[in-house]
Amino acid sequence: VDRKKFHTAPVGQAFRLRPFHVLVATGGGYAGYRKYEDYKLEQLKKRGIEVPVKLASEWEVALYKTVPTRLLSRAWGRLNQVELPTWLRKPVYSLYIWTFGVNMEEAAVEDLHHYRNLSEFFRRKLKPQARPVCCLHSVISPSDGKILNFGQVKNCEVEQVKGVTYSLESFLGPRVCPKELHFSPALPSNSFQQQLVTKEGNELYHCVIYLAPGDYHCFHSPTDWTVSHRRHFPGSLMSVNPGVARWIKELFCHNERVVLTGDWKHGFFSLTAVGATNVGSIRIYFDQDLHTNSPRYSKGSYNDFSFISNNNKEGIPMRKGEHLGEFNLGSTIVLIFEAPKDFKFHLKAGQKIRFGEALGSL
């Protein structure tokens, strides 16, 4: 009787685990564990129990970074652009609407069959009257979202959430050339924070807005200002939800971000769009040279672009409420700006806010 021969590989070879697979499995499992921990903390907060701040250690941050979030976000971006069959669009989008509480009555196009893919649905435009722009206050919210923190910048540190800070200089990078910002040179002995303040008696303020997946994903100009410089940091794409922001110090400094700097009537003004997991795509409408989450850029670097040129001495003027850019899912906007000491925020930490509503005024 003929017998078939079976070729078997050694057991060690058959079950060989490559380092990449180990890192992905370990990092992914740990990320899942953190999500569960965040859920438990949220439940405690809902019951009115004060949750102490517990920061991640260096090894925990390093482990989280082993998850290939940049690669996964690029894959997610391609998946989002796949055209869905007409019959599948309504059930897919309806599930998303139900999961994240999307209000489609505000959408410029309410018919779900209109959106060819998930990317178009995420970046849906609103009806013109859905977000009236407040004219009474000097700074409005640039987006829908949740207020994580706001107030004066102190000791060159900014709060991402209560009790957890990041370095102002690490976040913005080295000071932009004064010629580009129309500012007078600062004294070398001054701190980074003092170098940004251009007028005597002014203070530096900040505001952090978290955009959830169900929020409107476009962002707008928060005031009348001129954008003169863009700095792109190609960092990680870790989650920026409030639970993670409470856990990882300098989270916003680790993540990919686009820093727009310029000036308004009171001096220095900046708006930073911070990327996150599945939000590798940050688009600035007037900046065609910007390409985020691109393999050609390495972490730990940054690239600058000036909007000041021989043909354009002033930069890009932006009017309050004007379309500025968009995320491909939801993330975080950070405003850091100079204003007189009597500037007042009209906010509460943790409140929901919508684009066009007042942030603060003099």
Side-chain angles (χ1 to χ4, degrees), residues 97-340:
I97 290 167
W98 177 78
T99 304
F100 296 109
V102 178
N103 182 5
M104 284 303 292
E105 292 181 0
E106 297 177 330
V109 180
E110 295 184 43
D111 182 9
L112 298 180
H113 296 104
H114 168 82
Y115 302 100
R116 294 173 298 177
N117 52 47
L118 282 164
S119 182
E120 284 189 3
F121 180 71
F122 292 147
R123 295 180 288 108
R124 65 194 175 276
K125 298 297 187 287
L126 299 182
K127 293 172 182 173
Q129 67 274 22
R131 295 289 186 277
V133 174
C134 177
C135 299
L136 300 176
H137 299 276
S138 52
V139 184
I140 61 167
S141 177
S143 67
D144 287 7
K146 178 181 180 181
I147 302 294
L148 293 190
N149 218 302
F150 62 92
Q152 281 190 18
V153 177
K154 297 180 180 178
N155 302 319
C156 297
E157 292 278 321
V158 187
E159 281 196 319
Q160 59 191 32
V161 293
K162 186 177 180 180
V164 183
T165 63
Y166 55 93
S167 161
L168 182 65
E169 187 168 7
S170 296
F171 182 69
L172 295 177
R175 187 168 180 260
V176 178
C177 175
K179 291 180 181 178
E180 292 187 15
L181 296 180
H182 313 293
F183 297 160
S184 57
L187 297 174
S189 58
N190 286 353
S191 69
F192 183 81
Q193 179 177 333
Q194 291 171 326
Q195 290 177 30
L196 296 181
V197 177
T198 64
K199 299 177 182 178
E200 188 174 351
N202 280 3
E203 297 287 347
L204 208 59
Y205 297 86
H206 74 99
C207 182
V208 183
I209 305 168
Y210 167 69
L211 289 76
D215 287 327
Y216 167 58
H217 301 313
C218 296
F219 50 93
H220 300 245
S221 177
T223 192
D224 294 337
W225 65 308
T226 301
V227 184
S228 52
H229 187 271
R230 179 258 291 161
R231 177 168 285 156
H232 172 215
F233 291 84
S236 301
L237 286 172
M238 295 186 280
S239 171
V240 292
N241 77 54
V244 177
R246 195 181 299 112
W247 177 55
I248 297 181
K249 182 178 172 65
E250 301 210 332
L251 171 65
F252 299 155
C253 297
H254 289 294
N255 270 17
E256 179 152 19
R257 59 199 181 279
V258 177
V259 182
L260 299 178
T261 52
D263 56 290
W264 69 319
K265 60 183 178 181
H266 299 297
F268 174 81
F269 199 96
S270 73
L271 179 149
T272 302
V274 184
T277 310
N278 296 336
V279 195
S281 172
I282 301 171
R283 183 183 173 197
I284 304 297
Y285 295 135
F286 58 74
D287 188 354
Q288 301 303 314
D289 295 314
L290 175 66
H291 300 285
T292 57
N293 195 15
S294 171
R296 64 177 172 172
Y297 296 125
S298 59
K299 295 180 186 179
S301 63
Y302 65 83
N303 53 83
D304 286 337
F305 185 86
S306 174
F307 299 110
I308 305 292
S309 65
N310 292 331
N311 297 326
N312 182 0
K313 302 290 186 183
E314 298 299 319
I316 309 294
M318 297 297 301
R319 303 293 295 174
K320 183 166 66 173
E322 186 177 351
H323 275 86
L324 182 53
E326 63 188 31
F327 292 109
N328 203 25
L329 188 59
S331 192
T332 299
I333 295 283
V334 180
L335 301 179
I336 297 174
F337 57 93
E338 174 185 359

